[in-house]
Amino acid sequence: MTKFSNSLTARKKRISEIIDILSKIYPDVKIQLEHENPFELLIATILSAQCTDARVNIVTKTLFQKYRYPSDYLNVPVEELEQDIFSTGFYKAKAKNIRGACHSIINDFGSKVPNNMDDLLKLPGVGRKTANVILGHCFDTPGIVVD
């Protein structure tokens, strides 16, 4: 087998080796976004786009008291949600993605944040980076997140 083998088995083995190496180099990696459950981490990660984790934590401190469930984000006027997340920047797009993700979580996933890549990627505002954050920190699924 060459160094650049394309077989799926070889790639999976190499990924596993890389994760093992990184786990030894960085054994105590802790996410900076404050959250208590997968849903809160999803919201915080959506808000973190083009924003510091410190700013997101300031916003989510009150946001997570006001909005506890996906339905809470849908039961307020979008303008109110936009005001609540304004300081994170790109608040209109983020509010749209949060509401879209909440709608999908309720209607497609039984009000639970999905625990696999394919389903997470179906949520508005969720790309591979966000999905890997949620999978790695909430569902113990290894993934690499680069920021």
Side-chain angles (χ1 to χ4, degrees):
M1 176 173 69
T2 68
K3 180 176 170 181
F4 300 104
S5 174
N6 265 346
S7 79
L8 183 58
T9 303
R11 283 187 280 157
K12 284 184 177 183
K13 182 176 185 242
R14 183 68 181 140
I15 289 168
S16 180
E17 291 169 353
I18 291 168
I19 290 172
D20 287 345
I21 291 167
L22 290 173
S23 295
K24 288 175 185 159
I25 295 171
Y26 304 102
D28 297 318
V29 175
K30 184 178 181 310
I31 192 164
Q32 297 300 305
L33 294 172
E34 296 171 1
H35 66 284
E36 292 184 9
N37 56 58
F39 179 65
E40 286 184 358
L41 183 56
L42 170 67
I43 300 302
T45 307
I46 290 173
L47 292 175
S48 73
Q50 302 295 310
C51 186
T52 66
D53 290 351
R55 167 57 53 191
V56 171
N57 288 337
I58 290 167
V59 170
T60 57
K61 185 172 184 170
T62 55
L63 193 74
F64 292 161
Q65 291 174 357
K66 182 175 181 179
Y67 305 98
R68 307 213 32 93
Y69 305 101
S71 59
D72 295 336
Y73 289 88
L74 299 174
N75 290 332
V76 298
V78 69
E79 297 81 11
E80 184 174 343
L81 177 57
E82 289 172 352
Q83 187 59 44
D84 291 338
I85 64 172
F86 178 82
S87 68
T88 66
F90 302 99
Y91 61 95
K92 288 189 178 288
K94 290 177 183 181
K96 180 180 176 185
N97 285 333
I98 288 170
R99 289 169 62 94
C102 289
H103 184 267
S104 184
I105 287 168
I106 291 168
N107 292 315
D108 302 329
F109 301 106
S111 296
K112 302 253 189 250
V113 174
N115 63 359
N116 65 78
M117 179 68 73
D118 289 340
D119 287 341
L120 282 167
L121 292 176
K122 293 175 185 173
L123 300 176
V126 176
R128 293 191 70 80
K129 178 180 172 184
T130 296
N132 274 317
V133 167
I134 294 164
L135 291 172
H137 292 281
C138 296
F139 299 111
D140 294 324
T141 301
I144 297 174
V145 179
V146 179
D147 193 16

